[in-house]
Amino acid sequence: MAPYESDDATAAAQEDDAPSGRRKAARYAVPVAVVGVAAATIGLVPALADSGDPALPKITAQQLIDKIAKSDVQRLSGTVKVSTDLGLPNLGGLESSLASGAVRGGDGSSADPESHLTELVSGTHTLRVAADGPDRQKLSLLESGAEYSMIHDGKDVWGYDSKTNEVYHGTAAASAGGHRAEPPATPKDFADEALKAVDGTTSVTVDGTAQVAGRDAYKLLIKPKQSGTTVGAISIAVDARTGMPLKFTLTPRSGGAAVLDAGFTQVSFARPAASTFDFTPPKGAKVTEEKDGRKAPEHAPRAGGEDFAKGLGGAHGPQGAHGPKVLGEGWTSIATFDTGAKGGVPSGSRGGRLGGFLGSLGDQVSGKFGKGTVFSTRLVNALITDDGKVYAGAVAKDALVKAADQGK
C-alpha cells in the first residue's frame, strides 16, 4: 500500500506545461559546516505569502508529488530569504572566527565556493538566484555592504567575495545527460531531499492552497508517523502551473519557530538577461585557481539520510573515518561512523580555549558504551563517544545513547 494519504483519493489535476522526464540535477553548491559536529543544515526564511487562498482544481498527494517530479524549469530569477534556527547558542566573536577558518578552507581563498556559505547555518540572509538552462546559473548572497556571488557559465565556475576582493576560478565537472537548471539553495533542493524520505513511515497529504511570491500554489504536508524523531512536519508550497516548489518549511516536533524555512519572495520564469552570468575578475582582485584537479562541488551534503552521514564522516567531516552506516529506518534512523580518534571531545587544558568551549556546549552521558558527549540542536543531535565513535540523527539524546549501547 502506498504511504500517501489524502482526504480525496479520487481527485485529479491537469498536468500543464510539464515536459516528460526529469533531468538530472547539476548542483554547484557549497558544503555546509556547523560549529562542532552537531549538525549540518542550511535553511531559508519564510517566504512572504500573499493573503488569500486561491481556488485550484483538486489534486491528490501522489499527483502533486508526481507534478514536482516532472517539473523541469529551465529558466528563472528571483529573491529568496534565508534563515536558520537550530537553537545554537550565540557564539559572538568565536562564531565569526570559526566561520572565517572554514571560509579559508579548500584552496585557501575566501571566494572558494566549497566553503564560503557557512554563515547560512544561522541568522537571516537574502539570496538572489538566476538560471538559464543547464550551463548558466548564478547565486548571490547579499550582506551588509558586501556580496558573495557564485557564477556557473559553461565550463567555468567563479566565486567572488566583494568584501575581500578575492576571486576563485574552477571548472564544472563534466557530466553526461541533461541537468536541472535552477540553482542550489532553492526550495526545490530541500523538497527533493524531503521527498526521498517518504516511505511507509510517512504521512503525506494535500493541505490546501496558498499564494507565494504572487503565484498560486498547492501545499503538500509531510509528517513522520514515527514518534521518536525530532521532526514535526514539513510543508512544501508547489507552484500550480510549473510544479516547482516555491516554499519549504520544516518545523520541529518540539514546536516553536521553524528550524528551516525556504521561500521565494519574488520569482520570474522569464529568461534572465545574458549579462547576468558574465563575470570578469575586478581590477586588483586576487585570483585563486582550483588545485590538483579538484572540481567545483556538484552538490552539498544535507541533514538527514546518507548525505548527512557523508557530510559528517566523508571528505568534509572528521578525517580517518571508517565509513558511515545507518541504523534503523525512516525518520528515526541514526548515522554512525568511527573517527578513529580516541579521547572524545577535548576539554580543559587538553583542548585549549576552543576545546573547552565546545565541551561546555555538550551534555556528558554514559552507558554500556562508556562515556561521551551529546551536542544538541532543535533538529539534529550527535553523540561523540570517548572511543571516537559518532552517532547522529534527527532523534532524541536517549536514542543516541541506546544506539551506542547496542553497538557494543
Side-chain angles (χ1 to χ4, degrees), residues 294-352:
R294 182 175 65 85
K295 301 299 182 182
E298 292 189 36
H299 83 289
R302 293 169 173 80
E306 182 180 1
D307 270 351
F308 174 65
K310 289 180 179 177
L312 286 176
H316 305 288
Q319 300 302 307
H322 299 304
K325 64 179 180 179
V326 177
L327 308 176
E329 62 178 359
W331 298 87
T332 58
S333 62
I334 296 173
T336 180
F337 58 90
D338 191 341
T339 66
K342 307 299 181 182
V345 178
S347 60
S349 59
R350 181 169 63 92

Side-chain angles (χ1 to χ4, degrees), residues 98-121:
L98 291 173
S100 176
V103 165
R104 292 290 173 175
D107 284 329
S109 170
S110 69
D112 186 347
E114 186 168 329
S115 55
H116 184 84
L117 299 183
T118 54
E119 56 262 41
L120 292 182
V121 300

Side-chain angles (χ1 to χ4, degrees), residues 76-89:
L76 67 81
S77 59
T79 303
V80 180
K81 288 292 183 180
V82 180
S83 175
T84 306
D85 185 4
L86 283 168
L88 295 171

Side-chain angles (χ1 to χ4, degrees), residues 29-115:
V30 296
V32 178
V34 174
V35 174
V37 292
T41 302
I42 61 177
L44 306 179
V45 89
L48 302 179
D50 299 335
S51 60
D53 295 334
L56 295 173
K58 292 288 186 178
I59 191 170
T60 66
Q62 182 62 68
Q63 289 169 337
L64 189 52
I65 289 175
D66 291 343
K67 192 175 184 71
I68 296 172
K70 294 177 182 178
S71 178
D72 192 25
V73 172
Q74 291 291 302
R75 302 181 181 98
L76 67 81
S77 59
T79 303
V80 180
K81 288 292 183 180
V82 180
S83 175
T84 306
D85 185 4
L86 283 168
L88 295 171
N90 185 349
L91 304 182
L94 179 57
E95 181 179 37
S96 299
S97 175
L98 291 173
S100 176
V103 165
R104 292 290 173 175
D107 284 329
S109 170
S110 69
D112 186 347
E114 186 168 329
S115 55

Side-chain angles (χ1 to χ4, degrees), residues 141-148 160-165:
L141 170 61
L142 308 182
E143 301 171 327
S144 178
E147 178 178 324
Y148 174 77
Y160 176 61
D161 186 351
S162 68
K163 184 181 297 184
T164 61
N165 198 30

Side-chain angles (χ1 to χ4, degrees), residues 122-142:
S122 63
T124 299
H125 308 271
T126 299
L127 294 175
R128 287 180 183 162
V129 296
D132 182 9
D135 297 323
R136 307 181 91 185
Q137 298 112 20
K138 181 177 181 178
L139 180 150
S140 296
L141 170 61
L142 308 182

